[in-house]
Amino acid sequence: MLVHSRGARWAVWALFLVLFLPLFALPLLVVLGASFATNWSGVLPSGFTTGHYATATRGEALQALTTSLATAAAASVLALVVGTWAALAAAALNKRHRRVMDALFVLPLAVPSVVVGLAILVAFSEPPFLLNGTRWIVILAHTVLVTAFSYQSVSAALTRLDPAYEQAAASLGARPAYVLWRVRLPLLLPSLTAAAGLCFALSMGELSATMMLYPPDWTPLPVLIYAATDRGALFAGSALAVVLMAATLLALFAVSRVRTKASYR
């Protein structure tokens, strides 16, 4: 640790708790408390009920959670495939063309997600690319929004990759496809799993573009949370938010287990 004095170390911890606890932990604790409340007129919620969770884990809410999980899983897989392919292709380009590729894939992050949603809505509302009103346009929008993270993650991993492994395989007569499949991709596996987890988490919470695109039979959970809070059902919306957070954390935990195993290979 950089701070060696015991007193200074306690001061750093106290400063951390004062500055960062209200910023990160308290909002989550407020949502958690509200999800069990029947009324909140003072400093703390009053009344206790698990009824909000009974509603949040069945019927329309359960279907919305399933929709969010399916959308996030599909968008993560697609983003990982496209981002990895683009990062591998960019690594073979010269510096100037690589910058152009970086700019193209980072561009969706530079504009608001609602603009990305509008662009996809306009582009895919006419034949032959008619996706408006289908679940595929939601998955496509999520893929576009999260691919930049997989591209950046794999690109960063490629710059740290020791070329000696590929050169050794190639010197032994391995073809490029074999080197890619048996050498490069296994070495990139920890970064790929990290990118997949990040894409999944971001897709699970995406709302702005989704609001413009989702069809009635494909309503993700963030849309349902927004609708609940918009009509004043704050405690029911809090329970839905906790369910969304729990599902996301469980999925990220599963991905981290895969990543840990990949790191020890």
Side-chain angles (χ1 to χ4, degrees), residues 24-25 27-33 35 53 65 200-201 204-205 221 225 237-253:
F24 295 101
L28 301 179
L29 292 176
V30 167
V31 171
L32 183 62
S35 67
Y53 283 98
L65 176 61
F200 186 89
M204 286 290 286
L221 195 52
I225 295 172
S238 298
L240 291 171
V242 173
V243 170
L244 178 64
M245 285 191 295
T248 305
L249 290 176
L250 284 175
L252 292 180
F253 177 74

Side-chain angles (χ1 to χ4, degrees), residues 182-207:
R182 298 303 299 269
V183 179
R184 297 187 87 182
L185 289 181
L187 290 173
L188 292 172
L189 195 55
S191 298
L192 293 177
T193 52
L198 180 60
C199 293
F200 186 89
L202 292 171
S203 177
M204 286 290 286
E206 211 295 316
L207 176 62

Side-chain angles (χ1 to χ4, degrees), residues 153-197:
S153 179
V154 178
S155 294
L158 282 171
T159 59
R160 298 192 302 269
L161 201 62
D162 190 348
Y165 296 104
E166 303 171 41
Q167 293 168 358
S171 66
L172 294 173
R175 294 181 177 179
Y178 187 87
V179 174
L180 173 64
W181 185 252
R182 298 303 299 269
V183 179
R184 297 187 87 182
L185 289 181
L187 290 173
L188 292 172
L189 195 55
S191 298
L192 293 177
T193 52

Side-chain angles (χ1 to χ4, degrees), residues 105-120:
F105 277 87
V106 176
L107 187 60
L109 299 180
V111 297
S113 58
V114 67
V115 176
V116 176
L118 178 61
I120 291 175

Side-chain angles (χ1 to χ4, degrees), residues 86-105 151 155 159:
L88 289 170
L93 299 176
N94 58 43
K95 194 172 182 180
R96 182 180 178 184
H97 291 159
R98 196 182 309 159
R99 285 180 178 174
V100 174
M101 184 80 90
D102 291 344
L104 285 175
F105 277 87
Y151 173 79
S155 294
T159 59

